[in-house]
Amino acid sequence: MEALRNALDFSDFPRTDLVVAAVVAAVLVAFPLMPYSSFAMATMIQFLMFSIYGMGWNTIGGYGGQVDLGKAQYVGIGAYTTAVMLIRWDVPFWVSMPVGMALAVGWSFVIGYPLFKLKGHYFAIATIATSLVIKDLFEVWDFVGAARGLHISPVKYPPPDFLRLIFKEDVYYYYFLLGFFFLGILIINWFRHSRLGFQLRAIRDNEDLARSLGINVHWAKIKTYALATAFVSAVGSFHAVYIKNIEPEDTMSLDISVLIALMAMLGGAGSLWGPIIGAGILIPLKSYLKEWLGAKAGLIGIDLILYAVIIMLVSAVEPKGIWGLLDRLRRAKRSR
């Protein structure tokens, strides 16, 4: 009961923020009711997916201050678990998704224990290395299709199929993911108010002081890492049934890990709304710049250049991201 109360408690936000959040929520719900193109719908689904990825990353990366650049491995574990169980044993999505989450969380505990013995850039490099090793293994593992990957055939599983989460129209995927998006906000809001959330913030601010207060620093980091993993893996399972072509390069590449971290860092790592703000800016930019300047003008890699510029600007102007910039403007306004 207390967990539910914490999840629904937004009283520490100004009323203006809550009004803006309510308007954004209403727009997201109403979006499919307005005229839209298939490109716009695909961009909105990508926005929701990376918002949820970012929420997960934000628990350990934002509230915990750990630079995790290996989240793509858990996207892959979730996606491949769902794809393999569906294709080989015809297991419904509603069963394979929790199985994928359990496998990913189990793996996060296995590697989390040694990973969190490391600090700073050693930790960041180690997360990249573990993710790349998993990707390389999947590229030579015949059981999961090796480098050619797996394909979920819409002919074998004709839509609509609610059990396998296979639909003919993207609007159904959109509303499914939107429900998960709102649930994710409530879970992260619970986390902020939870004992674990306070411990993580204490660890981020001063690890030695947190340890002296009796906080089990290592265990708190591992538990939060597992929570972040569950988020990412669940969306990875969705990725499998939505995209239907699962390849190591598309699900486990370093680009995905960097993009997930960048969403939260741009919007405001360590704030509830940060990953959503970051995804709301970067995903449309990524999609439209790639379409207009990449495909039509031949400027391949323009989106990667954009990411580099954004990282430099965020580091130089406001390390706490856009949310930190808004906070600074508010304080300046109040002090006048």
Side-chain angles (χ1 to χ4, degrees), residues 56-61 63-64 71 108-109 116 191 196-197 199-200 203 217-231:
W57 186 91
N58 198 30
T59 56
I60 189 66
Y63 293 106
K71 276 286 167 276
S108 77
F109 276 108
F116 286 108
F191 174 79
L196 182 59
Q199 288 179 342
L200 257 288
I203 292 169
V217 172
H218 195 212
W219 183 233
K221 288 179 182 176
I222 292 173
K223 284 193 291 185
T224 309
Y225 188 60
L227 176 64
T229 295
F231 265 76

PDB file of all heavy atoms in Angstrom, residues 56-61 63-64 71 108-109 116 191 196-197 199-200 203 217-231:
ATOM      1  N   GLY A  56      14.815   3.354 -17.293  1.00  0.00           N
ATOM      2  CA  GLY A  56      15.578   2.282 -16.650  1.00  0.00           C
ATOM      3  C   GLY A  56      17.010   2.701 -16.399  1.00  0.00           C
ATOM      4  O   GLY A  56      17.535   2.542 -15.295  1.00  0.00           O
ATOM      5  N   TRP A  57      17.644   3.274 -17.426  1.00  0.00           N
ATOM      6  CA  TRP A  57      19.044   3.701 -17.276  1.00  0.00           C
ATOM      7  C   TRP A  57      19.169   4.747 -16.175  1.00  0.00           C
ATOM      8  O   TRP A  57      20.155   4.780 -15.425  1.00  0.00           O
ATOM      9  CB  TRP A  57      19.549   4.293 -18.599  1.00  0.00           C
ATOM     10  CG  TRP A  57      21.001   4.633 -18.574  1.00  0.00           C
ATOM     11  CD1 TRP A  57      22.045   3.839 -18.935  1.00  0.00           C
ATOM     12  CD2 TRP A  57      21.586   5.879 -18.141  1.00  0.00           C
ATOM     13  NE1 TRP A  57      23.231   4.505 -18.756  1.00  0.00           N
ATOM     14  CE2 TRP A  57      22.983   5.755 -18.271  1.00  0.00           C
ATOM     15  CE3 TRP A  57      21.057   7.072 -17.660  1.00  0.00           C
ATOM     16  CZ2 TRP A  57      23.853   6.786 -17.939  1.00  0.00           C
ATOM     17  CZ3 TRP A  57      21.930   8.098 -17.312  1.00  0.00           C
ATOM     18  CH2 TRP A  57      23.313   7.946 -17.455  1.00  0.00           C
ATOM     19  N   ASN A  58      18.153   5.605 -16.060  1.00  0.00           N
ATOM     20  CA  ASN A  58      18.207   6.715 -15.111  1.00  0.00           C
ATOM     21  C   ASN A  58      18.306   6.241 -13.656  1.00  0.00           C
ATOM     22  O   ASN A  58      18.844   6.950 -12.809  1.00  0.00           O
ATOM     23  CB  ASN A  58      16.956   7.584 -15.287  1.00  0.00           C
ATOM     24  CG  ASN A  58      17.128   8.952 -14.687  1.00  0.00           C
ATOM     25  OD1 ASN A  58      18.228   9.487 -14.628  1.00  0.00           O
ATOM     26  ND2 ASN A  58      16.032   9.521 -14.209  1.00  0.00           N
ATOM     27  N   THR A  59      17.791   5.057 -13.355  1.00  0.00           N
ATOM     28  CA  THR A  59      17.858   4.576 -11.968  1.00  0.00           C
ATOM     29  C   THR A  59      19.305   4.396 -11.533  1.00  0.00           C
ATOM     30  O   THR A  59      19.718   4.916 -10.506  1.00  0.00           O
ATOM     31  CB  THR A  59      17.102   3.241 -11.806  1.00  0.00           C
ATOM     32  OG1 THR A  59      17.639   2.278 -12.735  1.00  0.00           O
ATOM     33  CG2 THR A  59      15.617   3.416 -12.041  1.00  0.00           C
ATOM     34  N   ILE A  60      20.088   3.701 -12.354  1.00  0.00           N
ATOM     35  CA  ILE A  60      21.480   3.440 -11.969  1.00  0.00           C
ATOM     36  C   ILE A  60      22.407   4.550 -12.476  1.00  0.00           C
ATOM     37  O   ILE A  60      23.360   4.918 -11.798  1.00  0.00           O
ATOM     38  CB  ILE A  60      21.954   2.055 -12.497  1.00  0.00           C
ATOM     39  CG1 ILE A  60      23.304   1.679 -11.918  1.00  0.00           C
ATOM     40  CG2 ILE A  60      21.987   2.030 -14.029  1.00  0.00           C
ATOM     41  CD1 ILE A  60      23.297   1.437 -10.439  1.00  0.00           C
ATOM     42  N   GLY A  61      22.108   5.108 -13.648  1.00  0.00           N
ATOM     43  CA  GLY A  61      22.976   6.128 -14.217  1.00  0.00           C
ATOM     44  C   GLY A  61      22.727   7.513 -13.651  1.00  0.00           C
ATOM     45  O   GLY A  61      23.666   8.266 -13.405  1.00  0.00           O
ATOM     46  N   TYR A  63      20.246   8.428 -10.811  1.00  0.00           N
ATOM     47  CA  TYR A  63      20.157   8.463  -9.351  1.00  0.00           C
ATOM     48  C   TYR A  63      21.395   7.838  -8.700  1.00  0.00           C
ATOM     49  O   TYR A  63      21.744   8.198  -7.574  1.00  0.00           O
ATOM     50  CB  TYR A  63      18.893   7.734  -8.887  1.00  0.00           C
ATOM     51  CG  TYR A  63      17.624   8.443  -9.296  1.00  0.00           C
ATOM     52  CD1 TYR A  63      16.826   7.940 -10.320  1.00  0.00           C
ATOM     53  CD2 TYR A  63      17.232   9.625  -8.680  1.00  0.00           C
ATOM     54  CE1 TYR A  63      15.669   8.590 -10.714  1.00  0.00           C
ATOM     55  CE2 TYR A  63      16.073  10.287  -9.068  1.00  0.00           C
ATOM     56  CZ  TYR A  63      15.296   9.768 -10.082  1.00  0.00           C
ATOM     57  OH  TYR A  63      14.159  10.432 -10.486  1.00  0.00           O
ATOM     58  N   GLY A  64      22.022   6.879  -9.399  1.00  0.00           N
ATOM     59  CA  GLY A  64      23.190   6.216  -8.823  1.00  0.00           C
ATOM     60  C   GLY A  64      24.515   6.786  -9.274  1.00  0.00           C
ATOM     61  O   GLY A  64      25.552   6.484  -8.676  1.00  0.00           O
ATOM     62  N   LYS A  71      23.788  -1.159 -21.819  1.00  0.00           N
ATOM     63  CA  LYS A  71      22.394  -1.586 -21.694  1.00  0.00           C
ATOM     64  C   LYS A  71      21.891  -2.356 -22.918  1.00  0.00           C
ATOM     65  O   LYS A  71      20.890  -3.084 -22.837  1.00  0.00           O
ATOM     66  CB  LYS A  71      21.500  -0.373 -21.445  1.00  0.00           C
ATOM     67  CG  LYS A  71      21.438   0.030 -19.976  1.00  0.00           C
ATOM     68  CD  LYS A  71      20.599  -0.945 -19.179  1.00  0.00           C
ATOM     69  CE  LYS A  71      20.719  -0.812 -17.693  1.00  0.00           C
ATOM     70  NZ  LYS A  71      21.887  -1.551 -17.151  1.00  0.00           N
ATOM     71  N   SER A 108      22.289  -9.825 -14.987  1.00  0.00           N
ATOM     72  CA  SER A 108      22.752  -8.568 -14.373  1.00  0.00           C
ATOM     73  C   SER A 108      23.330  -8.816 -12.976  1.00  0.00           C
ATOM     74  O   SER A 108      24.278  -8.139 -12.572  1.00  0.00           O
ATOM     75  CB  SER A 108      21.615  -7.552 -14.301  1.00  0.00           C
ATOM     76  OG  SER A 108      20.717  -7.836 -13.241  1.00  0.00           O
ATOM     77  N   PHE A 109      22.762  -9.779 -12.255  1.00  0.00           N
ATOM     78  CA  PHE A 109      23.319 -10.105 -10.937  1.00  0.00           C
ATOM     79  C   PHE A 109      24.691 -10.773 -11.088  1.00  0.00           C
ATOM     80  O   PHE A 109      25.610 -10.514 -10.307  1.00  0.00           O
ATOM     81  CB  PHE A 109      22.381 -11.040 -10.169  1.00  0.00           C
ATOM     82  CG  PHE A 109      21.283 -10.307  -9.434  1.00  0.00           C
ATOM     83  CD1 PHE A 109      19.978 -10.352  -9.873  1.00  0.00           C
ATOM     84  CD2 PHE A 109      21.569  -9.568  -8.298  1.00  0.00           C
ATOM     85  CE1 PHE A 109      18.966  -9.669  -9.208  1.00  0.00           C
ATOM     86  CE2 PHE A 109      20.575  -8.881  -7.610  1.00  0.00           C
ATOM     87  CZ  PHE A 109      19.266  -8.933  -8.074  1.00  0.00           C
ATOM     88  N   PHE A 116      30.526  -3.759 -10.179  1.00  0.00           N
ATOM     89  CA  PHE A 116      30.441  -2.672  -9.208  1.00  0.00           C
ATOM     90  C   PHE A 116      31.603  -2.662  -8.211  1.00  0.00           C
ATOM     91  O   PHE A 116      31.590  -1.887  -7.257  1.00  0.00           O
ATOM     92  CB  PHE A 116      29.090  -2.705  -8.499  1.00  0.00           C
ATOM     93  CG  PHE A 116      27.975  -2.233  -9.382  1.00  0.00           C
ATOM     94  CD1 PHE A 116      27.038  -3.124  -9.882  1.00  0.00           C
ATOM     95  CD2 PHE A 116      27.893  -0.900  -9.749  1.00  0.00           C
ATOM     96  CE1 PHE A 116      26.018  -2.688 -10.711  1.00  0.00           C
ATOM     97  CE2 PHE A 116      26.881  -0.455 -10.583  1.00  0.00           C
ATOM     98  CZ  PHE A 116      25.943  -1.352 -11.071  1.00  0.00           C
ATOM     99  N   PHE A 191      10.321   4.466  -7.035  1.00  0.00           N
ATOM    100  CA  PHE A 191      11.748   4.291  -6.755  1.00  0.00           C
ATOM    101  C   PHE A 191      12.333   5.549  -6.111  1.00  0.00           C
ATOM    102  O   PHE A 191      13.140   5.465  -5.181  1.00  0.00           O
ATOM    103  CB  PHE A 191      12.481   3.962  -8.064  1.00  0.00           C
ATOM    104  CG  PHE A 191      13.974   3.912  -7.926  1.00  0.00           C
ATOM    105  CD1 PHE A 191      14.597   2.808  -7.391  1.00  0.00           C
ATOM    106  CD2 PHE A 191      14.756   4.995  -8.326  1.00  0.00           C
ATOM    107  CE1 PHE A 191      15.989   2.764  -7.257  1.00  0.00           C
ATOM    108  CE2 PHE A 191      16.131   4.962  -8.198  1.00  0.00           C
ATOM    109  CZ  PHE A 191      16.743   3.848  -7.661  1.00  0.00           C
ATOM    110  N   LEU A 196      15.570   2.421  -1.284  1.00  0.00           N
ATOM    111  CA  LEU A 196      16.657   2.177  -2.228  1.00  0.00           C
ATOM    112  C   LEU A 196      16.998   3.444  -3.015  1.00  0.00           C
ATOM    113  O   LEU A 196      18.171   3.742  -3.276  1.00  0.00           O
ATOM    114  CB  LEU A 196      16.263   1.046  -3.193  1.00  0.00           C
ATOM    115  CG  LEU A 196      17.302   0.618  -4.225  1.00  0.00           C
ATOM    116  CD1 LEU A 196      18.577   0.133  -3.550  1.00  0.00           C
ATOM    117  CD2 LEU A 196      16.728  -0.460  -5.147  1.00  0.00           C
ATOM    118  N   GLY A 197      15.964   4.205  -3.394  1.00  0.00           N
ATOM    119  CA  GLY A 197      16.193   5.438  -4.139  1.00  0.00           C
ATOM    120  C   GLY A 197      16.994   6.450  -3.335  1.00  0.00           C
ATOM    121  O   GLY A 197      17.921   7.094  -3.850  1.00  0.00           O
ATOM    122  N   GLN A 199      18.988   5.716  -0.871  1.00  0.00           N
ATOM    123  CA  GLN A 199      20.344   5.171  -0.718  1.00  0.00           C
ATOM    124  C   GLN A 199      21.198   5.482  -1.949  1.00  0.00           C
ATOM    125  O   GLN A 199      22.365   5.859  -1.829  1.00  0.00           O
ATOM    126  CB  GLN A 199      20.269   3.659  -0.491  1.00  0.00           C
ATOM    127  CG  GLN A 199      19.737   3.266   0.874  1.00  0.00           C
ATOM    128  CD  GLN A 199      19.647   1.759   1.042  1.00  0.00           C
ATOM    129  OE1 GLN A 199      19.659   1.007   0.077  1.00  0.00           O
ATOM    130  NE2 GLN A 199      19.547   1.317   2.288  1.00  0.00           N
ATOM    131  N   LEU A 200      20.590   5.292  -3.141  1.00  0.00           N
ATOM    132  CA  LEU A 200      21.352   5.538  -4.376  1.00  0.00           C
ATOM    133  C   LEU A 200      21.789   6.992  -4.480  1.00  0.00           C
ATOM    134  O   LEU A 200      22.928   7.291  -4.875  1.00  0.00           O
ATOM    135  CB  LEU A 200      20.490   5.164  -5.583  1.00  0.00           C
ATOM    136  CG  LEU A 200      20.817   3.831  -6.267  1.00  0.00           C
ATOM    137  CD1 LEU A 200      22.142   3.951  -7.029  1.00  0.00           C
ATOM    138  CD2 LEU A 200      20.928   2.697  -5.258  1.00  0.00           C
ATOM    139  N   ILE A 203      24.650   7.540  -2.193  1.00  0.00           N
ATOM    140  CA  ILE A 203      25.869   6.941  -2.753  1.00  0.00           C
ATOM    141  C   ILE A 203      26.447   7.842  -3.848  1.00  0.00           C
ATOM    142  O   ILE A 203      27.651   8.054  -3.937  1.00  0.00           O
ATOM    143  CB  ILE A 203      25.557   5.538  -3.300  1.00  0.00           C
ATOM    144  CG1 ILE A 203      25.216   4.593  -2.144  1.00  0.00           C
ATOM    145  CG2 ILE A 203      26.726   4.997  -4.116  1.00  0.00           C
ATOM    146  CD1 ILE A 203      24.634   3.273  -2.588  1.00  0.00           C
ATOM    147  N   VAL A 217      26.665  -0.313   0.077  1.00  0.00           N
ATOM    148  CA  VAL A 217      26.821   0.371  -1.213  1.00  0.00           C
ATOM    149  C   VAL A 217      26.803  -0.611  -2.379  1.00  0.00           C
ATOM    150  O   VAL A 217      26.083  -0.414  -3.376  1.00  0.00           O
ATOM    151  CB  VAL A 217      28.143   1.186  -1.208  1.00  0.00           C
ATOM    152  CG1 VAL A 217      28.432   1.750  -2.594  1.00  0.00           C
ATOM    153  CG2 VAL A 217      28.057   2.306  -0.180  1.00  0.00           C
ATOM    154  N   HIS A 218      27.551  -1.673  -2.266  1.00  0.00           N
ATOM    155  CA  HIS A 218      27.679  -2.635  -3.363  1.00  0.00           C
ATOM    156  C   HIS A 218      26.328  -3.282  -3.678  1.00  0.00           C
ATOM    157  O   HIS A 218      25.900  -3.353  -4.837  1.00  0.00           O
ATOM    158  CB  HIS A 218      28.709  -3.694  -2.968  1.00  0.00           C
ATOM    159  CG  HIS A 218      29.192  -4.511  -4.120  1.00  0.00           C
ATOM    160  ND1 HIS A 218      29.559  -5.826  -3.998  1.00  0.00           N
ATOM    161  CD2 HIS A 218      29.368  -4.210  -5.427  1.00  0.00           C
ATOM    162  CE1 HIS A 218      29.926  -6.288  -5.175  1.00  0.00           C
ATOM    163  NE2 HIS A 218      29.834  -5.327  -6.045  1.00  0.00           N
ATOM    164  N   TRP A 219      25.630  -3.720  -2.649  1.00  0.00           N
ATOM    165  CA  TRP A 219      24.348  -4.412  -2.836  1.00  0.00           C
ATOM    166  C   TRP A 219      23.287  -3.452  -3.370  1.00  0.00           C
ATOM    167  O   TRP A 219      22.454  -3.818  -4.208  1.00  0.00           O
ATOM    168  CB  TRP A 219      23.916  -5.047  -1.526  1.00  0.00           C
ATOM    169  CG  TRP A 219      22.656  -5.845  -1.587  1.00  0.00           C
ATOM    170  CD1 TRP A 219      21.563  -5.705  -0.787  1.00  0.00           C
ATOM    171  CD2 TRP A 219      22.341  -6.926  -2.487  1.00  0.00           C
ATOM    172  NE1 TRP A 219      20.593  -6.618  -1.112  1.00  0.00           N
ATOM    173  CE2 TRP A 219      21.045  -7.369  -2.165  1.00  0.00           C
ATOM    174  CE3 TRP A 219      23.023  -7.530  -3.537  1.00  0.00           C
ATOM    175  CZ2 TRP A 219      20.419  -8.413  -2.849  1.00  0.00           C
ATOM    176  CZ3 TRP A 219      22.402  -8.572  -4.236  1.00  0.00           C
ATOM    177  CH2 TRP A 219      21.117  -9.004  -3.886  1.00  0.00           C
ATOM    178  N   ALA A 220      23.293  -2.199  -2.896  1.00  0.00           N
ATOM    179  CA  ALA A 220      22.316  -1.212  -3.378  1.00  0.00           C
ATOM    180  C   ALA A 220      22.507  -0.968  -4.875  1.00  0.00           C
ATOM    181  O   ALA A 220      21.534  -0.853  -5.636  1.00  0.00           O
ATOM    182  CB  ALA A 220      22.470   0.096  -2.601  1.00  0.00           C
ATOM    183  N   LYS A 221      23.762  -0.888  -5.312  1.00  0.00           N
ATOM    184  CA  LYS A 221      24.024  -0.682  -6.745  1.00  0.00           C
ATOM    185  C   LYS A 221      23.552  -1.889  -7.563  1.00  0.00           C
ATOM    186  O   LYS A 221      22.952  -1.733  -8.640  1.00  0.00           O
ATOM    187  CB  LYS A 221      25.525  -0.474  -6.971  1.00  0.00           C
ATOM    188  CG  LYS A 221      26.059   0.857  -6.496  1.00  0.00           C
ATOM    189  CD  LYS A 221      27.562   0.936  -6.750  1.00  0.00           C
ATOM    190  CE  LYS A 221      28.165   2.224  -6.261  1.00  0.00           C
ATOM    191  NZ  LYS A 221      29.634   2.253  -6.435  1.00  0.00           N
ATOM    192  N   ILE A 222      23.828  -3.089  -7.077  1.00  0.00           N
ATOM    193  CA  ILE A 222      23.444  -4.300  -7.827  1.00  0.00           C
ATOM    194  C   ILE A 222      21.923  -4.392  -7.954  1.00  0.00           C
ATOM    195  O   ILE A 222      21.391  -4.705  -9.029  1.00  0.00           O
ATOM    196  CB  ILE A 222      24.008  -5.555  -7.128  1.00  0.00           C
ATOM    197  CG1 ILE A 222      25.532  -5.574  -7.223  1.00  0.00           C
ATOM    198  CG2 ILE A 222      23.437  -6.824  -7.756  1.00  0.00           C
ATOM    199  CD1 ILE A 222      26.183  -6.696  -6.423  1.00  0.00           C
ATOM    200  N   LYS A 223      21.199  -4.101  -6.874  1.00  0.00           N
ATOM    201  CA  LYS A 223      19.724  -4.173  -6.934  1.00  0.00           C
ATOM    202  C   LYS A 223      19.167  -3.142  -7.918  1.00  0.00           C
ATOM    203  O   LYS A 223      18.245  -3.438  -8.686  1.00  0.00           O
ATOM    204  CB  LYS A 223      19.148  -3.932  -5.537  1.00  0.00           C
ATOM    205  CG  LYS A 223      19.284  -5.117  -4.595  1.00  0.00           C
ATOM    206  CD  LYS A 223      18.445  -4.951  -3.352  1.00  0.00           C
ATOM    207  CE  LYS A 223      18.960  -3.853  -2.470  1.00  0.00           C
ATOM    208  NZ  LYS A 223      18.220  -3.744  -1.184  1.00  0.00           N
ATOM    209  N   THR A 224      19.742  -1.944  -7.911  1.00  0.00           N
ATOM    210  CA  THR A 224      19.260  -0.909  -8.834  1.00  0.00           C
ATOM    211  C   THR A 224      19.611  -1.260 -10.275  1.00  0.00           C
ATOM    212  O   THR A 224      18.829  -1.012 -11.198  1.00  0.00           O
ATOM    213  CB  THR A 224      19.868   0.457  -8.459  1.00  0.00           C
ATOM    214  OG1 THR A 224      19.644   0.686  -7.075  1.00  0.00           O
ATOM    215  CG2 THR A 224      19.234   1.568  -9.258  1.00  0.00           C
ATOM    216  N   TYR A 225      20.777  -1.835 -10.468  1.00  0.00           N
ATOM    217  CA  TYR A 225      21.187  -2.287 -11.807  1.00  0.00           C
ATOM    218  C   TYR A 225      20.202  -3.330 -12.335  1.00  0.00           C
ATOM    219  O   TYR A 225      19.828  -3.320 -13.515  1.00  0.00           O
ATOM    220  CB  TYR A 225      22.592  -2.885 -11.700  1.00  0.00           C
ATOM    221  CG  TYR A 225      23.255  -3.232 -13.007  1.00  0.00           C
ATOM    222  CD1 TYR A 225      23.496  -2.263 -13.968  1.00  0.00           C
ATOM    223  CD2 TYR A 225      23.674  -4.537 -13.262  1.00  0.00           C
ATOM    224  CE1 TYR A 225      24.126  -2.589 -15.157  1.00  0.00           C
ATOM    225  CE2 TYR A 225      24.310  -4.862 -14.449  1.00  0.00           C
ATOM    226  CZ  TYR A 225      24.537  -3.890 -15.390  1.00  0.00           C
ATOM    227  OH  TYR A 225      25.159  -4.213 -16.569  1.00  0.00           O
ATOM    228  N   ALA A 226      19.733  -4.208 -11.457  1.00  0.00           N
ATOM    229  CA  ALA A 226      18.752  -5.227 -11.852  1.00  0.00           C
ATOM    230  C   ALA A 226      17.419  -4.582 -12.212  1.00  0.00           C
ATOM    231  O   ALA A 226      16.751  -5.003 -13.177  1.00  0.00           O
ATOM    232  CB  ALA A 226      18.569  -6.234 -10.717  1.00  0.00           C
ATOM    233  N   LEU A 227      17.015  -3.554 -11.463  1.00  0.00           N
ATOM    234  CA  LEU A 227      15.769  -2.847 -11.788  1.00  0.00           C
ATOM    235  C   LEU A 227      15.873  -2.189 -13.157  1.00  0.00           C
ATOM    236  O   LEU A 227      14.949  -2.283 -13.981  1.00  0.00           O
ATOM    237  CB  LEU A 227      15.489  -1.787 -10.710  1.00  0.00           C
ATOM    238  CG  LEU A 227      14.276  -0.882 -10.952  1.00  0.00           C
ATOM    239  CD1 LEU A 227      12.987  -1.691 -10.940  1.00  0.00           C
ATOM    240  CD2 LEU A 227      14.207   0.232  -9.906  1.00  0.00           C
ATOM    241  N   ALA A 228      17.000  -1.537 -13.419  1.00  0.00           N
ATOM    242  CA  ALA A 228      17.215  -0.912 -14.726  1.00  0.00           C
ATOM    243  C   ALA A 228      17.164  -1.959 -15.837  1.00  0.00           C
ATOM    244  O   ALA A 228      16.594  -1.731 -16.910  1.00  0.00           O
ATOM    245  CB  ALA A 228      18.561  -0.188 -14.735  1.00  0.00           C
ATOM    246  N   THR A 229      17.745  -3.107 -15.568  1.00  0.00           N
ATOM    247  CA  THR A 229      17.780  -4.192 -16.552  1.00  0.00           C
ATOM    248  C   THR A 229      16.382  -4.691 -16.890  1.00  0.00           C
ATOM    249  O   THR A 229      16.075  -4.973 -18.056  1.00  0.00           O
ATOM    250  CB  THR A 229      18.627  -5.352 -15.987  1.00  0.00           C
ATOM    251  OG1 THR A 229      19.969  -4.894 -15.841  1.00  0.00           O
ATOM    252  CG2 THR A 229      18.585  -6.556 -16.888  1.00  0.00           C
ATOM    253  N   ALA A 230      15.516  -4.807 -15.876  1.00  0.00           N
ATOM    254  CA  ALA A 230      14.155  -5.288 -16.106  1.00  0.00           C
ATOM    255  C   ALA A 230      13.417  -4.362 -17.074  1.00  0.00           C
ATOM    256  O   ALA A 230      12.707  -4.828 -17.987  1.00  0.00           O
ATOM    257  CB  ALA A 230      13.412  -5.376 -14.771  1.00  0.00           C
ATOM    258  N   PHE A 231      13.589  -3.047 -16.898  1.00  0.00           N
ATOM    259  CA  PHE A 231      12.953  -2.082 -17.804  1.00  0.00           C
ATOM    260  C   PHE A 231      13.403  -2.328 -19.243  1.00  0.00           C
ATOM    261  O   PHE A 231      12.605  -2.442 -20.160  1.00  0.00           O
ATOM    262  CB  PHE A 231      13.369  -0.656 -17.393  1.00  0.00           C
ATOM    263  CG  PHE A 231      12.400   0.024 -16.489  1.00  0.00           C
ATOM    264  CD1 PHE A 231      12.333  -0.321 -15.154  1.00  0.00           C
ATOM    265  CD2 PHE A 231      11.559   1.006 -16.966  1.00  0.00           C
ATOM    266  CE1 PHE A 231      11.455   0.309 -14.303  1.00  0.00           C
ATOM    267  CE2 PHE A 231      10.662   1.642 -16.131  1.00  0.00           C
ATOM    268  CZ  PHE A 231      10.612   1.296 -14.785  1.00  0.00           C
TER     269      PHE A 231
END
